[in-house]
Amino acid sequence: MEAPIRVLYLIGGGEFGGAEQHLLGLVSHLDTHEFHPQVAVFYEEEFSTRVRELGIPTTVLQSDSKSLGGLHPLRDLIRDWRPHVIHTHGVRANLIGRLANRAEGYPAKSVTTVHSIMSLDYPVAWKRMVFGAAEQKTWPYVDHFILVSEAMKRDLIQIGMPKNKLSVIHNALELPEKPQEHVPVTNLRELIGVGDDVTIVGTVARLHPVKGHTYLLKAIQKIVQERQDVVFPWIGDGDLHEELEREAKVLGVDKYIKLLGFRKDVPDLLPQLDVFVLPSLSEGLSVAILEALAVGVPMIATAVGGTPEVITDGEDGLLVPPADPHALGEAVCLLVKNTELRRRLAKAGQEMVFRRFALSRLVRETTEVYKNQL
């Protein structure tokens, strides 16, 4: 078909997590001679602000009961703009996007990127059942699914996602031509009140059960019995903030934890970590892991989802079983005391990310999906 191809992206936008980072990178690097993007969200938050700063048209959909959660205004937008492709991200966006396209007579090809496995994203049973049923019930309205890992593909095929509608496109990052030396704006050691003799073991993740922070707390309880010269800044916020604070006090490790909340300066703070740890119970393919590796931070992560498709244990990072505080603690202690191993893993991890996870590859593979549907 003749260019430009109009692509309407739909995402919740209420938080700025991996899916939002993924989509921001994608829309900012589309060839504007070939594609005209527009973005619709349900919330006026950090993500919508960043998209507008790129000069991309952005609509905040009215999503109260009168508008059927955003269905009516999205139908209006589809009818007015006539996109060739609707690309949805996230359970709510998937449902509303699919139903709106169907109600308008399928004027657009429907593409969904699945970023995570829903069963662990919704620990409350009734939400898991309701949203899971709605998601699968509307699968027939989708022309193509993009999955961020081979592990996710195996899981979803097992529950009935059609094999002939699937592509795996690993997440990616916007990277310079080569690694850059980082000059901090905010001194992380000053921010958290520690000297050069303390090892900083940080994590960046929303405070949600699926991210496994509670197992990291239990690991820290074991770690500080052996090493007291270590501190754990956590960047990210979420519903578990107060619960994790209480748990840290009960375990007697609260003085080692620095809850920094949501921060916009993660790219400035991340390179200042000595070790990055991600104790997730489930992952699609973690953008946070890619970001830490790209700036040369040695990695410890749980061997879940797509993470083993990124990290080769002992070569460019360390992998441990999920929900295993002992193994997690052992890995942290190993890197705290072995600076040479940290240096070797960091170098190998950074080289691997620059080789395999550049954003240009994701944009090329995603836009090929669009073209193949038209």
Side-chain angles (χ1 to χ4, degrees), residues 106-227:
Y106 299 106
K109 295 296 183 179
S110 175
V111 176
T112 289
T113 292
V114 184
H115 295 272
S116 59
I117 297 296
M118 183 186 300
S119 60
L120 285 170
D121 277 344
Y122 291 93
V124 179
W126 73 265
K127 288 185 178 181
R128 187 165 60 246
M129 290 176 61
V130 170
F131 294 137
E135 175 71 20
Q136 290 189 239
K137 187 73 173 178
T138 56
W139 279 355
Y141 307 161
V142 180
D143 295 290
H144 201 81
F145 296 91
I146 296 172
L147 315 178
V148 298
S149 67
E150 294 288 346
M152 182 177 288
K153 179 179 178 179
R154 291 191 295 270
D155 289 344
L156 290 173
I157 286 174
Q158 283 186 346
I159 61 172
M161 187 173 276
K163 294 180 184 179
N164 63 332
K165 290 185 175 184
L166 304 182
S167 294
V168 173
I169 301 178
H170 287 133
N171 284 334
L173 297 178
E174 183 175 5
L175 298 169
E177 287 188 15
K178 59 182 181 180
Q180 307 291 304
E181 182 179 351
H182 178 69
V183 179
V185 176
T186 299
N187 187 304
L188 178 58
R189 290 184 181 274
E190 289 182 5
L191 179 67
I192 60 179
V194 300
D196 293 339
D197 57 338
V198 172
T199 304
I200 301 178
V201 180
T203 188
V204 180
R206 59 197 166 99
L207 304 182
H208 183 283
V210 76
K211 295 301 180 181
H213 290 87
T214 186
Y215 299 101
L216 180 54
L217 282 177
K218 293 177 175 65
I220 291 169
Q221 188 183 38
K222 300 176 185 298
I223 293 163
V224 299
Q225 292 173 7
E226 179 179 334
R227 305 288 302 232

Side-chain angles (χ1 to χ4, degrees), residues 47-85:
F47 175 73
S48 57
T49 299
R50 293 205 195 184
V51 176
R52 285 199 189 93
E53 288 172 352
L54 297 171
I56 295 171
T58 305
T59 301
V60 179
L61 301 170
Q62 183 179 347
S63 54
D64 54 16
S65 57
K66 186 177 179 180
S67 66
L68 287 184
L71 181 64
H72 292 325
L74 184 59
R75 288 185 64 182
D76 291 340
L77 181 58
I78 293 170
R79 197 179 307 123
D80 292 342
W81 196 53
R82 305 300 290 182
H84 300 107
V85 176

Side-chain angles (χ1 to χ4, degrees), residues 1 28 42 87 107 116 145 243 246 288 324 353:
M1 67 175 297
S28 65
F42 299 110
H87 190 168
S116 59
F145 296 91
E243 182 179 326
R246 287 195 298 270
D324 188 337
V353 167

